[in-house]
Amino acid sequence: MMLRTLCRTGGALLQQTQRAAPRLWVTPAQQRWASSLPMNTVVLFVPQQEAWVVERMGRFHRILEPGLNFLIPLLDRIRYVQSLKEIVINVPEQSAVSLDNVTLQIDGVLYLRILDPLKASYGVEDPEYAVTQLAQTTMRSELGKLTLDKVFRERESLNSNIVQSINQASDEWGIRCLRYEIKDIHVPPRVKESMQMQVEAERKKRATVLESEGTREADINVAEGHKQAQILASEGQKAEQINKASGEAQAILAKAEAKAKAIRMLSDALTEQNGDAAASLSVAEQYVSAFSKLAKESNTILLPSSTGDISGMVTQAMTIYGTLAKPSLKAVAEEKSNNFGSQSSQ
């Protein structure tokens, strides 16, 4: 019963002290770092995600864990209350000069967490102010290493470098910087106008390049089409010429075979009985036919000296034929005699 009464009394006193007790730091921004300093009521209840630093007779004694805790009145005193949650700090806007001498107005947001309440309480007087100043100086130094164009392109790399620099210095304070984000980057009006002109020029350049590439590809496609058309046309002409030459060769061969057959038939006919008379008749007919066409096909007429003596012309033609036919007749006779001699010897 007495324990229950003490618990109720301690809870009431805790609520009163949280309303009226003074803050750890006097600035409004520092109120995020700690709750109100509670009074020693012997029985204390520590909220989750908070660490209460207790001093005994002015010297660090221990850190109260979340839950039920007991302290000695008058001797123990709660000196610091640290929040273990992730803390968000707005880094004020400041000016920085880039590598190409452009003045920038830049601000950011810092995310951090207390890992060691003891170091955060006794390692630095004002943790929030210290981290904020460190973030500003680091940001100015990192921006001085980059040109204006790289500042916009490498924001992630810039944020990462700032976090690494802050963590190197804040390890002794028991604070870990989780991330840093740049919110706004403001450039002078003239620089902004020049950047807009540069962007427009770059866009026009890209448009011109794309248009020229499109025109080039179109010309290439047209030329390739003409090339393919010419190749196909030449192949068609080649095939046509080949077919035509093949047809002409076949026609010439057919004419030669027909003429050779006709000559063989004529030769066979001349070797038969009364072949000379048939040849004379054929020559006379051809003579009369050729003489009748002279006046029809040309204005120039060549007449023999004796146009009326058809028998003389036929006799002359037959004489020429006989002269040309003698060697062939001799060869035929020799071949027949050779064949007869071979047959008689058998």
Side-chain angles (χ1 to χ4, degrees):
M1 189 68 179
M2 184 179 296
L3 180 60
R4 184 180 301 175
T5 304
L6 289 175
C7 292
R8 290 178 180 177
T9 305
L13 291 175
L14 176 61
Q15 293 178 358
Q16 292 178 1
T17 53
Q18 288 181 348
R19 295 192 190 98
R23 302 289 181 178
L24 177 61
W25 296 293
V26 294
T27 59
Q30 295 171 356
Q31 295 177 3
R32 292 191 299 266
W33 285 79
S35 303
S36 302
L37 292 178
M39 294 180 63
N40 184 0
T41 58
V42 182
V43 179
L44 300 176
F45 298 95
V46 179
Q48 184 68 32
Q49 289 297 99
E50 285 191 5
W52 292 5
V53 180
V54 177
E55 293 181 354
R56 175 168 292 179
M57 293 183 294
R59 184 178 180 181
F60 172 75
H61 176 57
R62 66 189 180 99
I63 298 175
L64 300 183
E65 299 294 336
L68 179 62
N69 293 272
F70 297 93
L71 296 179
I72 301 175
L74 301 178
L75 297 181
D76 295 337
R77 177 190 176 190
I78 300 173
R79 185 67 178 85
Y80 299 100
V81 175
Q82 302 290 356
S83 175
L84 303 181
K85 299 177 182 178
E86 186 173 343
I87 303 170
V88 182
I89 301 176
N90 287 322
V91 180
E93 185 177 357
Q94 62 174 340
S95 62
V97 180
S98 63
L99 184 61
D100 49 357
N101 297 324
V102 178
T103 303
L104 304 174
Q105 298 293 329
I106 188 169
D107 58 358
V109 181
L110 185 64
Y111 299 85
L112 50 86
R113 175 176 291 171
I114 296 178
L115 300 181
D116 190 345
L118 178 61
K119 290 183 179 180
S121 300
Y122 297 99
V124 61
E125 181 66 25
D126 192 341
E128 182 176 352
Y129 179 75
V131 173
T132 303
Q133 293 300 314
L134 182 60
Q136 288 181 338
T137 55
T138 305
M139 184 167 53
R140 281 195 295 266
S141 63
E142 292 294 332
L143 285 175
K145 301 177 184 178
L146 302 175
T147 60
L148 180 60
D149 295 335
K150 289 185 178 180
V151 169
F152 292 98
R153 290 198 301 265
E154 300 182 4
R155 294 183 65 169
E156 294 183 0
S157 175
L158 181 61
N159 295 336
S160 176
N161 294 336
I162 294 174
V163 169
Q164 292 179 1
S165 300
I166 293 175
N167 286 330
Q168 290 177 359
S170 63
D171 286 339
E172 298 296 329
W173 305 339
I175 299 172
R176 172 63 59 180
C177 180
L178 302 179
R179 57 190 178 277
Y180 179 86
E181 297 294 338
I182 297 175
K183 288 199 302 184
D184 297 319
I185 299 177
H186 301 284
V187 297
R190 293 185 178 179
V191 177
K192 188 175 182 180
E193 293 177 359
S194 63
M195 291 175 64
Q196 291 178 354
M197 295 175 61
Q198 182 179 1
V199 171
E200 292 178 359
E202 186 68 22
R203 290 178 179 175
K204 291 181 180 179
K205 175 184 176 182
R206 292 179 182 177
T208 305
V209 171
L210 292 176
E211 184 179 0
S212 62
E213 289 180 354
T215 304
R216 184 186 65 178
E217 291 181 0
D219 295 339
I220 291 174
N221 292 334
V222 172
E224 189 69 22
H226 290 327
K227 176 183 177 181
Q228 294 294 333
Q230 291 178 358
I231 291 174
L232 294 176
S234 63
E235 290 179 354
Q237 293 178 358
K238 177 182 177 181
E240 182 181 0
Q241 292 177 359
I242 291 174
N243 294 334
K244 184 178 180 180
S246 178
E248 291 179 353
Q250 293 179 0
I252 293 172
L253 183 61
K255 290 180 180 180
E257 291 178 353
K259 188 174 182 179
K261 185 176 181 181
I263 292 173
R264 285 195 299 270
M265 293 177 65
L266 180 60
S267 176
D268 294 339
L270 290 176
T271 55
E272 294 180 355
Q273 188 177 3
N274 298 325
D276 293 339
S280 299
L281 179 60
S282 176
V283 171
E285 290 177 351
Q286 292 179 4
Y287 175 80
V288 172
S289 176
F291 186 76
S292 65
K293 293 180 180 180
L294 289 177
K296 295 180 180 180
E297 296 180 356
S298 176
N299 294 330
T300 302
I301 300 175
L302 298 177
L303 297 175
S305 58
S306 56
T307 57
D309 190 5
I310 297 175
S311 60
M313 293 295 296
V314 172
T315 303
Q316 184 178 0
M318 293 302 296
T319 302
I320 295 172
Y321 169 75
T323 303
L324 296 174
K326 286 182 181 180
S328 59
L329 293 175
K330 290 181 179 180
V332 171
E334 290 178 358
E335 184 179 358
K336 290 182 178 180
S337 61
N338 293 332
N339 294 332
F340 180 74
S342 60
Q343 292 177 357
S344 61
S345 62
Q346 291 177 357

